Amino acid sequence: MTTTLEAIRQTISPEIDALNRRIDEALGSSNPLMDKVVSGYLKSKGKMIRPILVVLAARLLGEVNECVISAAAAVEMLHNASLIHDDVVDESKLRRSRPTINSIWDNHIAVLTGDFFVSSALQQAIATGDIRIVESLANLGRLLSLGEIDQIYNARYHCLDEKAYFEVIRRKTASLFVSCVEMGAYAVGAPEERIEPLRRYADLLGLCFQIKDDIFDYYGDEQVGKPTGNDLREGKITLPLLYALNCAGHPQHDEMNRLAAKEELDTEEIAVLIQFAKDAGGIDYAYETMRRLADDAAAQLRPLGSQDAVAPLTDILGYIIERTY
């Protein structure tokens, strides 16, 4: 039976309530416009997987305390800052089926709101009194930026290397998951030898998360919140098509590689490349890769406790693999 995210959330509902209160308090200000923008944005809270990971890591290695809640708030606000800024860069009109800040107001207000989220995240990290948590958050912001720049570079110069793809998603997605468990562990004073397996688990979890997101792009699904082929429209070649384009023996290899190298693709060309990725086994390869990484991730948890003790983190892994949006 597939574990739902709501079932996982129920196991830590008091902590989630405390986290939501902390975020509301942290983002309060004396400016009525900022308050209006922020309150509107917070009505469409996401799945909150990342702060949930902070809490679950802390519970596995110690007792949840105020530092854990501050760390969870910090990482959630930094994550949301990156989404707000991404919406400006991508000129997105919708996120989570609701209008984006930049579409309701304008880019100027959206960028400033994103900056406000970043500053508020840093304040929460500092409130923990643990410089390692501050360092983890600062390093996370750096890696997220580098990951996005790497992705732009690969798209611009048509880099079709699988290793380069994994470097990008490790920075732009997995780094966030690693920082979550790291901050949760730091907040409860866990020893380094207990933290390292959790970092490896979170890294693999983050890779699985991004691969699943990339698979969604090959299937039209309104729940995902983006049209089919959106990544290709932006010049991003993800794992399913990357695998197909590197199948040298495929009869369409040269033709499809020439097409993928075009500066701009129209809707029909995107459809052709998506079908090619499916026909050449790219989707199957992406699923196989994700399942292999997931097995490795689950193995990282075994030294950290009994099956019952690590069950919430195993459940999160299962949810990410099985989710439909």
Side-chain angles (χ1 to χ4, degrees), residues 24 27-44 98-101 104-105 109 113 116-117:
D24 289 344
L27 292 173
S29 77
S30 59
N31 185 287
L33 177 55
M34 182 62 80
D35 279 352
K36 188 173 183 178
V37 175
V38 169
S39 64
Y41 181 82
L42 293 181
K43 286 177 183 175
S44 59
R98 293 176 64 94
T100 56
I101 293 175
I104 297 172
W105 305 92
I109 287 176
T113 303
F116 182 65
F117 271 67

Side-chain angles (χ1 to χ4, degrees), residues 111-315:
V111 169
L112 291 173
T113 303
D115 292 347
F116 182 65
F117 271 67
V118 172
S119 300
S120 301
L122 286 169
Q123 283 185 323
Q124 287 301 303
I126 290 167
T128 66
D130 191 329
I131 193 63
R132 297 172 303 171
I133 290 175
V134 178
E135 183 180 12
S136 182
L137 192 77
N139 187 52
L140 171 60
R142 185 172 183 272
L143 289 173
L144 293 176
S145 300
L146 287 172
E148 290 295 337
I149 290 289
D150 284 344
Q151 188 166 62
I152 291 168
Y153 177 90
N154 290 348
R156 190 162 294 177
Y157 295 99
H158 307 292
C159 179
L160 300 179
D161 180 63
E162 189 172 311
K163 182 180 178 184
Y165 165 81
F166 275 101
E167 286 174 357
V168 166
I169 69 170
R170 179 161 270 124
R171 282 179 166 178
K172 80 169 199 141
T173 302
S175 63
L176 189 46
F177 289 77
V178 173
S179 188
C180 288
V181 300
E182 189 174 66
M183 290 166 69
Y186 286 153
V188 296
E192 181 60 31
E193 62 269 19
R194 301 268 288 162
I195 300 174
E196 189 52 36
L198 209 48
R199 286 194 192 100
R200 293 194 295 271
Y201 154 84
D203 176 62
L204 295 161
L205 177 73
L207 297 180
C208 289
F209 184 94
Q210 188 58 56
I211 292 170
K212 190 64 183 276
D213 257 15
D214 291 344
I215 291 170
F216 286 144
D217 197 53
Y218 291 79
Y219 299 92
D221 190 339
E222 292 178 3
Q223 285 183 300
V224 181
K226 61 180 183 179
T228 307
N230 200 57
D231 288 337
L232 276 171
R233 253 176 222 97
E234 297 173 5
K236 302 170 187 172
I237 295 180
T238 55
L239 191 59
L241 181 56
L242 190 61
Y243 170 81
L245 291 172
N246 283 311
C247 289
H250 196 282
Q252 291 181 288
H253 175 267
D254 293 346
E255 178 190 353
M256 291 297 108
N257 272 268
R258 282 193 298 272
L259 181 57
K262 288 185 66 173
E263 290 300 321
E264 287 188 24
L265 296 166
D266 61 31
T267 301
E268 186 177 336
E269 289 167 333
I270 288 170
V272 167
L273 285 168
I274 286 174
Q275 193 59 50
F276 170 65
K278 293 176 179 178
D279 293 344
I283 302 296
D284 292 338
Y285 177 76
Y287 269 111
E288 287 165 12
T289 301
M290 184 172 56
R291 291 185 184 110
R292 174 173 50 80
L293 294 170
D295 288 343
D296 194 2
Q300 303 303 319
L301 296 174
R302 290 182 195 125
L304 295 175
S306 66
Q307 188 173 345
D308 287 345
V310 301
L313 290 170
T314 306
D315 288 344

